[in-house]
Every structure is written in structure tokens, then in C-alpha cells.
Amino acid sequence: MLTADSVVKIYDRWGRFYDIVFKWIFSEGRNVGVELLDLKAGERLLEVGVGTGLSLPLYRRDSPIVGIDISSKMLEKAREKVDNLGLRNVDLQVMDAQAMTFPDDSFDCVTACYVVSAAPDPHKVVSEICRVCKPGGRIVFINHFKSQNRLLARFEELINGICRKFGWETTLDLETLIAAHKLVIGVQERVNIFDYWRAVLCYNSRK
Ligand SMILES: C[S@@+](CC[C@H](N)C(=O)[O-])C[C@H]1O[C@@H](n2cnc3c(N)ncnc32)[C@H](O)[C@@H]1O
């Protein structure tokens, strides 16, 4: 089982070489996610599990952006990008997405790229996202969700134990997540190698 401590340990280790492995493999998903988000000038955006900050250069610079991550080593790399690119609209904070310290309705929109299945409790993360996002706000998930093909889903269950050691789950079910948090799906697209990941734009239906 992933725990907050094990996630920190795993991603603190990934920090130094995460970009070498995952910058290109996951770049299509990040680009599509930013397009689906369609951030408007001045809108306040939260990026959950911002990691080494690979999405940060893709956002417009006239919107305030807050990036949080549980791993300080991943955030160190994000800080280097923010400094090198002079992204003065970006604020980075070490924070557990399962228990955020922001008040309710703090953000116009939220993105979570390859994060919900990397967290110990994906439902807590999504519940917190819905709390800090304004009612009706846009939420974009880029993630691998459990396959709809039965054989592939069985295979994903088999390899889940190994994947957890690297820092993610393979069996998270999108439909269950959406129903549990009463999210409304706007658009979804398949992205990355073999279309194995999904970019999903949702609306926060919380009143
Ligand atoms: C696979 S990486 C994705 C990083 C980045 N979003 C990207 O597009 O490459 C997953 C990230 O989620 C972070 N993470 C996992 N659980 C978290 C939690 N509970 N709170 C905040 N960040 C978390 C990890 O530290 C890691 O940086």
C-alpha cells in the first residue's frame, strides 16, 4: 500500500532524474490537459502534485498559479524551472493534497497531472480538490485509469504491486471516482503512448 511516507521517499528519489524519464513520455497528456483547461487571464489555478514543474511553462503568465507537492525534492526541481524561466506568477508549496491547508473555494480551476493514482488515497485527493475549487470550477485530470478491456484490466491488477513500488497505482477506476465526487465530465481524450492515459475535463458540481 502507498502511504504518505512511502510516496515522499519514492518521489524524493525520482526528483533528480524524473525529467529524463517522464518529460517526453507524458508530454502529450500535459499539452492536451492545458488545452482542455483553457485558462483565462486572471483565473487562479491550483496544480496538484506539480512535481518537477513540467507543466508550468505551458500555462499563461497572467494568471496566479499555485503548485503543491508532497515531495520537497520534486519541488526543488520545479523551483529551478520557475527561477530559470522567471515565472513570477507561480507559487510553490510543500503540501499533502489529501489534507490541503487552503480555504474552501480558493481556486477557479485545478489540474492534477499523473497524480491521483500516485497518492495513497485518490478519493481524499479528489475530495480536497472539489473543496478548494469553486463550485462549477474546471478540474482537469491526466491519468491512467483502469482499462475498460477486461483482459487488460486483469493484467493491470497483476502488475499493480510492482507499479506501486515505483510510485503509482494501475487500477484506479475513473467512473467510480467521478460518481463518488459527483463530478460532471465535459470532455475526455486518450493521450500518450498507445492512448493508454486519459485527459479528462470535469466540472465541480459542489454547491
Ligand atoms: C508521477 S508524478 C507527476 C508529476 C507532474 N505532475 C508531471 O506531470 O510530471 C506524481 C507526483 O505526485 C506527487 N504526489 C503524490 N501524492 C501526493 C500527495 N498526497 N500530495 C501532493 N503530491 C503528491 C508526487 O510527489 C509526484 O511529484
Side-chain angles (χ1 to χ4, degrees), residues 20 44-45 52 55 71 88 90 110 124 133 138 150:
I20 300 168
R44 198 168 143 79
L45 168 69
T52 61
S55 301
S71 157
R88 284 200 287 273
V90 175
V110 181
K124 268 195 190 159
C133 182
R138 308 187 300 292
R150 272 179 50 203

Side-chain angles (χ1 to χ4, degrees), residues 7 11 18 26 30 47-52 54-55 68-71 74 95-98 113-115 118-120 125:
V7 169
Y11 282 98
Y18 183 86
F26 285 165
R30 291 188 199 95
E47 178 162 349
V48 172
V50 64
T52 61
L54 287 167
S55 301
I68 62 163
D69 203 285
I70 200 168
S71 157
M74 293 288 275
M95 196 185 291
D96 184 350
Q98 301 173 125
C113 309
Y114 314 109
V115 176
V125 173

